[in-house]
Amino acid sequence: MEVLDIIKPENQVFCKTKLMTNAALSYCPGCGHGTAHNLTMEVIDEMGIAEDTIGVAPVGCSVLAYDFMNIDMTQAAHGRAPAVATAIARTWPEKYVFTYQGDGDLAAIGTAETIHACNRGENIVIIFVNNGIYGMTGGQMAPTTLPGMKSTTSPFGRDVKTMGSPIKMTELVAQLPGTYYVTRQSVHTHKNVRKAKKAIKKAFENIKLKKGISFVEIVSNCNSGWKMTPNDANKWMEDNMFPYYPLGDIKVNGKLK
Amino acid sequence: MSELKLMKGNEALAEAAIRAGVDAYFGYPITPQTELIEYLMSQKTEERTGMVCLQAESEIAAINMVYGAASTGKKVFTSSSSPGVSLKQEGISYIAGAELPAVIVNVVRGGPGLGTIQPSQADYFQSVKGGGHGDYKLYVLAPSSVQEMSDFVEDAFDIAFKYNAPVLILSDGLIGQMMEKVELKPQQKRRTDAEVIAQCGSWATTGKTKDRERNIITSLDLQSEKMEARVHRLLKKYEQMEKEDLRFEKINCDDAEYLIVAYGSSARIAQKAVEIARSKGVKVGLLRPITLFPFPKKQLFDLADQVKGILSVELNAGQMVEDVKLSTEFKVPVEHFGRTGGIIHTPEEILEALEQKIINNGSIRHHKTRESSIL
Ligand SMILES: Cc1ncc(C[n+]2csc(CCOP(=O)(O)OP(=O)(O)O)c2C)c(N)n1
Ligand code: SF4
Ligand SMILES: [Mg+2]
């Protein structure tokens, strides 16, 4: 059998996500951001809604999401993506509007915008990549940094007595009547990738129902910020992040689980 | 059909926005601006024209909502007063950097800090020197009547869309709160989504269709050369604004021996002062900048060859006076007069200041006994 026989379209099980551009990803090798981007674009492509989708990029490592996602995108100020998306969704009610945000962006500086967009039940999707750290600025403590976890601004480990406890934003917004679907996923194994994609798909499909916000947290790694190899980072995430941030649906079809 | 009504400045601006076919408003209550958002909310704008009006959770959220709607080519505005406008500055800087059309209204109150809810012009520096971070300017319109509160809405959007740049309507608690007769323009249709795409589709994020590349709204340029190119692009706009869209009003300037420069509410009071002075035979003129950026630099430079001195009258501790001095290149004495804290100067106070600071200035030392009152 020739190589060309094997790479026939019908034999193809994996290819580059169509809605991703050809720009080289600027993320560190092993970083979950790239996979989260892929999944989001795959869902939009498969749903055939690319022409009607407007994305809002945050400030954080994924500030350049618009370099990689081949759709119309607006880059928001640090933490303000839910406000930006609110206005786009309100003035273009038939469009699919989503934000893509890190944990510093969504759960620290943008807490008010997150809570209030969720509380108003804006008809948008929020994709929240929680890596427990400020990746972009070089590994400072985030509101989601685990107790005892070291960062450049908590070099002796996060002391909850003086620095507070990590905030579970996803559980918090699930309490608000404006959220329709709230889930926590990860993208570090094949199995989790498949689950996360299903969740993202459900979130985008919910936009058609106009019943409120769909909020998808992706617990992710930051091997650079955590100062670990990609493999060690994933193992550390399973052992430490998942117990604090358990995976799974928290609210489905407007009902808490 | 246009319509004659008695309205507060804030309400007139809000009504004019609905009639101008504005697509969206995002704001947050603060005195002395609150009538604006209250009026909009009372009008059921979604039913009247389809205009979206939303009370945001903060001024920060409101300006970022403006950024969002503007990034899709919609006609959108926000309003606030001084402390709230301070909160908006990061967002305004993003709007300028990302080159988006938007209108911001500041119904100024006294400061610093929580200050006072009374009228003031103490946000001049913030308004014309940038306000937020980075190399940018706002096109600044300064209404001095309820009629102008109404008229400037359309003018502001015209400029915002001509340049893809933020425009500030710099009002104050006096113009915002007072009632005057106003002629309202007839209702215009809001653009349809298809019309928005036809007008702004080359840059706005309205959804990437197959026939074009994706549109990206951002103010980020990690490459220095690109960032500098962006700054140069902005500078070009500001130069063009200075050439094509400067606005000012000259009152009794032709034969003036002394000049008052004043904008907004101060200009109204200064105009009365000019009348009184003229009735006493003192030739005083008034230059009213209608745009504070662009500033009537050339007009002031020329007038400086004609008049003996200039008084900059402002409801603040001395801000625009710096631009008057720069424009006149120190050819004639330029002084400032202004009350602060929400106190509004009277025409008599202005004349007293003119007499003391300008007319008698210099000569007073030689003629200590001189008694010429224009009051
Ligand atoms: C107003 C403002 N404050 C601070 C910053 C600096 N800053 C940029 S990214 C960032 C943290 C981002 O962390 P996160 O949202 O967790 O994203 P990650 O990089 O981890 O994906 C900070 C503090 C900024 N750009 N703007
Ligand atoms: S710094 Fe962290 S979050 Fe950013 S790209 Fe690298 S691994 Fe990912
Ligand atoms: Mg992070």
Side-chain angles (χ1 to χ4, degrees):
Chain A
M1 209 186 328
E2 294 293 315
V3 174
L4 283 177
D5 292 329
I6 301 169
I7 57 171
K8 279 182 186 157
E10 60 266 33
N11 293 332
Q12 192 173 29
V13 289
F14 181 79
C15 64
K16 180 178 152 282
T17 308
K18 275 195 230 120
L19 276 181
M20 290 289 279
T21 65
N22 290 329
L25 279 181
S26 52
Y27 302 112
C28 307
C31 174
H33 270 306
T35 316
H37 279 29
N38 270 331
L39 295 184
T40 310
M41 289 302 101
E42 278 176 23
V43 164
I44 291 167
D45 184 35
E46 285 163 20
M47 287 175 68
I49 57 169
E51 295 203 2
D52 290 316
T53 302
I54 300 161
V56 182
V59 174
C61 275
S62 47
V63 62
L64 288 175
Y66 56 74
D67 270 357
F68 314 124
M69 300 182 174
N70 197 5
I71 54 168
D72 276 5
M73 287 196 88
T74 291
Q75 190 275 312
H78 195 20
R80 318 302 172 202
V84 173
T86 291
I88 300 176
R90 292 275 181 135
T91 51
W92 297 85
E94 302 312 318
K95 300 281 178 191
Y96 294 79
V97 183
F98 75 95
T99 73
Y100 183 106
Q101 302 175 256
D103 45 324
D105 194 81
L106 179 141
I109 192 166
T111 308
E113 284 76 7
T114 306
I115 297 272
H116 287 282
C118 286
N119 193 48
R120 288 189 302 262
E122 297 298 340
N123 195 33
I124 60 172
V125 170
I126 292 182
I127 295 177
F128 165 36
V129 178
N130 175 10
N131 54 13
I133 205 151
Y134 287 7
M136 185 187 211
T137 38
Q140 294 79 24
M141 184 177 68
T144 44
T145 297
L146 294 182
M149 187 174 164
K150 285 185 181 165
S151 73
T152 60
T153 51
S154 58
F156 309 106
R158 181 177 190 152
D159 177 0
V160 296
K161 280 205 222 83
T162 56
M163 299 165 176
S165 295
I167 190 165
K168 295 185 181 181
M169 207 59 176
T170 307
E171 277 81 355
L172 224 144
V173 300
Q175 303 304 315
L176 303 170
T179 49
Y180 187 65
Y181 176 47
V182 181
T183 186
R184 186 182 281 121
Q185 304 290 330
S186 84
V187 293
H188 70 304
T189 67
H190 301 113
K191 204 174 133 204
N192 289 99
V193 164
R194 275 197 292 274
K195 277 194 188 164
K197 184 169 168 182
K198 263 196 194 145
I200 294 171
K201 187 156 198 167
K202 188 174 176 57
F204 275 90
E205 278 168 352
N206 284 343
I207 287 185
K208 287 185 222 155
L209 306 176
K210 299 193 188 235
K211 288 203 168 158
I213 267 194
S214 292
F215 191 99
V216 182
E217 173 178 344
I218 294 170
V219 181
S220 192
N221 55 19
C222 175
N223 39 79
S224 293
W226 298 356
K227 316 242 182 295
M228 293 175 198
T229 64
N231 273 341
D232 288 351
N234 282 348
K235 176 83 177 58
W236 191 89
M237 179 170 71
E238 285 179 348
D239 294 346
N240 299 278
M241 296 280 277
F242 293 172
Y244 198 89
Y245 301 112
L247 304 186
D249 290 341
I250 297 167
K251 193 178 194 180
V252 181
N253 298 341
K255 288 199 182 67
L256 283 167
K257 288 218 107 177
Chain B
M1 263 233 324
S2 61
E3 200 181 330
L4 217 52
K5 273 196 166 179
L6 184 69
M7 287 182 112
K8 277 191 175 190
N10 287 334
E11 293 171 348
L13 194 150
E15 177 61 30
I18 301 171
R19 290 178 183 230
V22 169
D23 297 304
Y25 168 88
F26 302 97
Y28 189 84
I30 181 170
T31 310
Q33 161 267 177
T34 303
E35 295 83 8
L36 213 159
I37 179 169
E38 283 175 344
Y39 183 88
L40 286 171
M41 290 306 182
S42 77
Q43 288 302 301
K44 296 192 171 151
T45 56
E46 297 256 7
E47 284 170 32
R48 254 183 83 177
T49 65
M51 175 183 178
V52 172
C53 286
L54 181 65
Q55 179 171 336
E57 60 270 33
S58 69
E59 288 87 350
I60 298 177
I63 192 70
N64 284 284
M65 289 171 184
V66 168
Y67 177 88
S71 72
T72 66
K74 295 278 178 170
K75 270 189 180 179
V76 57
F77 83 114
T78 184
S79 64
S80 187
S81 178
S82 310
V85 176
S86 290
L87 277 179
K88 289 184 195 288
Q89 292 301 328
E90 184 201 24
I92 295 173
S93 169
Y94 268 68
I95 291 170
E99 301 182 67
L100 298 177
V103 174
I104 302 115
V105 180
N106 185 358
V107 185
V108 182
R109 58 193 251 178
L114 195 52
T116 164
I117 57 172
Q118 302 301 329
S120 165
Q121 295 182 317
D123 294 355
Y124 176 88
F125 279 150
Q126 185 195 57
S127 309
V128 306
K129 306 291 179 191
H133 59 287
D135 269 320
Y136 79 93
K137 281 178 185 294
L138 299 172
Y139 184 90
V140 184
L141 278 163
S144 76
S145 64
V146 173
Q147 186 64 52
E148 284 185 342
M149 285 290 268
S150 164
D151 293 346
F152 284 2
V153 176
E154 252 192 274
D155 297 351
F157 275 106
D158 285 348
I159 294 288
F161 276 83
K162 175 176 174 184
Y163 293 100
N164 263 28
V167 173
L168 178 73
I169 297 179
L170 187 69
S171 179
D172 64 50
L174 189 88
I175 308 288
Q177 301 268 333
M178 74 183 181
M179 289 185 95
E180 264 184 335
K181 194 175 62 181
V182 53
E183 192 182 331
L184 294 161
K185 291 191 187 137
Q187 179 68 52
Q188 287 177 39
K189 271 220 165 69
R190 271 191 332 108
R191 294 164 304 163
T192 62
D193 286 354
E195 284 165 347
V196 172
I197 291 170
Q199 187 187 350
C200 308
S202 63
W203 56 267
T205 50
T206 53
K208 179 195 173 304
T209 43
K210 293 204 175 64
D211 55 355
R212 66 160 168 84
E213 290 297 302
R214 69 191 190 284
N215 285 337
I216 295 166
I217 301 296
T218 183
S219 55
L220 176 72
D221 284 308
L222 290 170
Q223 280 173 289
S224 303
E225 289 73 20
K226 281 197 174 164
M227 187 64 224
E228 189 172 55
R230 184 186 295 265
V231 171
H232 285 167
R233 210 159 57 231
L234 297 185
L235 290 181
K236 274 230 169 73
K237 293 186 193 190
Y238 306 144
E239 276 167 27
Q240 194 186 343
M241 284 176 186
E242 296 201 284
K243 278 201 200 99
E244 297 175 15
D245 294 296
L246 168 72
R247 289 173 68 175
F248 58 87
E249 189 183 6
K250 275 179 169 177
I251 297 165
N252 295 125
C253 283
D254 289 348
D255 62 344
E257 289 175 15
Y258 303 100
L259 184 71
I260 294 175
V261 187
Y263 72 91
S265 51
S266 280
R268 292 174 73 105
I269 305 159
Q271 196 175 340
K272 186 77 198 162
V274 168
E275 278 168 29
I276 299 171
R278 292 227 161 223
S279 72
K280 309 254 162 105
V282 185
K283 287 178 179 162
V284 183
L286 171 67
L287 179 71
R288 171 169 87 98
I290 297 174
T291 53
L292 299 178
F293 178 81
F295 195 66
K297 286 191 234 172
K298 165 103 179 47
Q299 288 66 25
L300 275 162
F301 183 81
D302 292 346
L303 278 164
D305 292 330
Q306 174 193 323
V307 300
K308 295 179 189 154
I310 301 177
L311 187 68
S312 182
V313 176
E314 316 163 48
L315 290 170
N316 59 38
Q319 300 191 16
M320 181 174 70
V321 63
E322 293 190 4
D323 286 333
V324 178
K325 282 183 181 169
L326 283 172
S327 304
T328 52
E329 297 185 9
F330 302 93
K331 287 195 280 188
V332 284
V334 174
E335 296 290 340
H336 164 264
F337 173 69
R339 301 296 304 265
T340 65
I343 300 168
I344 295 159
H345 32 233
T346 62
E348 290 73 22
E349 282 176 323
I350 294 174
L351 288 175
E352 203 178 296
L354 184 73
E355 186 170 22
Q356 282 174 9
K357 296 185 175 206
I358 301 293
I359 299 177
N360 290 348
N361 183 34
S363 58
I364 203 162
R365 266 169 254 132
H366 310 295
H367 313 281
K368 277 211 174 102
T369 51
R370 184 176 150 171
E371 262 200 18
S372 85
S373 178
I374 49 172
L375 282 172

